Amino acid sequence: TGRTIITISDNGVGILPENINKLFSVTTNNSNPGTENEVGTGLGLVLCKELIELNGGEISVNSELGKGTSFLLTLPDN
């Protein structure tokens, strides 16, 4: 079986390296204001990770402050 890879990128504020591991934790709210000072609950990525892993996939993140963030989703082909 193959795998499908989806990349989602933005050119927003970026994420501090020490906060990347906290993104997928339900015990810490790591939501920061965005480029237009929008706020979030911190639950979206937790739910995405859970659903992706329940379907046999993986999610990873790369970010650079001031330049943006990319999320890489890898899902098995069914």
Side-chain angles (χ1 to χ4, degrees), residues 7-75:
T7 303
I8 302 167
S9 299
D10 68 31
N11 57 356
V13 297
I15 303 167
L16 291 168
E18 60 266 24
N19 290 336
I20 288 180
N21 288 335
K22 299 175 188 175
L23 289 176
F24 304 106
S25 172
V26 72
T27 59
T28 59
N29 184 342
N30 194 42
S31 183
N32 294 315
T35 53
E36 296 182 16
N37 290 318
E38 68 273 14
V39 295
T41 63
L43 292 175
L45 289 173
V46 173
L47 294 173
C48 287
K49 183 178 190 295
E50 184 73 18
L51 290 171
I52 290 166
E53 289 179 350
L54 284 171
N55 285 284
E58 299 173 352
I59 184 170
S60 62
V61 59
N62 293 307
S63 186
E64 189 173 343
L65 283 178
K67 296 197 175 186
T69 304
S70 293
F71 291 89
L72 183 70
L73 290 65
T74 305
L75 299 165

